[in-house]
């Protein structure tokens, strides 16, 4: 049983390596990290409710997950072909569009949650 549990924990290794590599190598990851820190700091400062925390956590996770998937898709497409094929452009554009939707949703969540707190200052 202990070996099974240890094996499960070890399976997280590649995921953490991927996360750290993403933050280290991708410029947009640094922007997301800064935004994440600012939003979490504001959440503590304004003492947002549990329900608001849930929305903030999901918004942050959605943006990070879509950005990481977008980056993986872009790297894979670039690796597979040097050609400028319309289908490859479409694939990359659609992946980038997913990030845009996630970012807009996160901005909407931030406005809904933080504007009332900011208006009280």
């Amino acid at each position: 049983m202990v070996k099974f549990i240890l094996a499960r924990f070890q399976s997280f290794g590649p995921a953490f390596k991927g996360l750290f590599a993403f933050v280290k190598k991708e410029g947009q990851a640094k922007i997301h990290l800064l935004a994440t820190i600012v939003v979490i700091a504001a959440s503590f400062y304004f003492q947002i409710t549990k329900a608001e925390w849930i929305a903030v956590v999901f918004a942050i996770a959605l943006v990070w997950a879509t950005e990481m998937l977008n980056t993986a898709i872009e790297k894979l497409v670039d690796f597979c072909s040097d050609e400028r094929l319309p289908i490859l452009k479409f694939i990359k554009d659609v992946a980038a569009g997913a990030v845009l939707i996630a970012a807009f949703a996160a901005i909407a969540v931030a406005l809904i949650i933080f504007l009332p707190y900011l208006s009280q200052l």
Side-chain angles (χ1 to χ4, degrees):
M1 181 62 141
V2 173
K3 286 183 182 180
F4 175 79
I5 293 171
L6 286 175
R8 297 298 67 82
F9 279 114
Q10 289 174 343
S11 69
F12 286 102
F16 282 111
K17 285 180 184 177
L19 178 59
F20 292 129
F22 176 69
V23 172
K24 184 178 178 181
K25 295 180 181 181
E26 298 298 322
Q28 69 274 20
K30 291 171 182 63
I31 294 167
H32 291 309
L33 182 60
L34 177 62
T36 298
I37 291 167
V38 168
V39 169
I40 290 173
S43 298
F44 279 113
Y45 178 79
F46 291 117
Q47 299 177 355
I48 65 175
T49 67
K50 286 181 183 180
E52 291 168 335
W53 267 111
I54 291 168
V56 166
V57 167
F58 273 92
I60 290 170
L62 179 66
V63 171
W64 277 91
T66 54
E67 187 65 68
M68 291 178 77
L69 288 169
N70 177 53
T71 299
I73 290 167
E74 286 181 352
K75 301 286 184 196
L76 183 60
V77 166
D78 291 344
F79 175 78
C80 290
S81 177
D82 290 334
E83 293 184 60
R84 298 270 184 209
L85 300 174
I87 188 65
L88 299 180
K89 181 182 181 325
F90 174 80
I91 291 166
K92 290 171 82 168
D93 289 351
V94 169
V99 176
L100 186 62
I101 290 170
F104 283 161
I107 290 167
V109 167
L111 291 174
I112 291 165
I113 292 174
F114 293 110
L115 278 181
Y117 290 106
L118 290 169
S119 69
Q120 293 175 2
L121 292 179

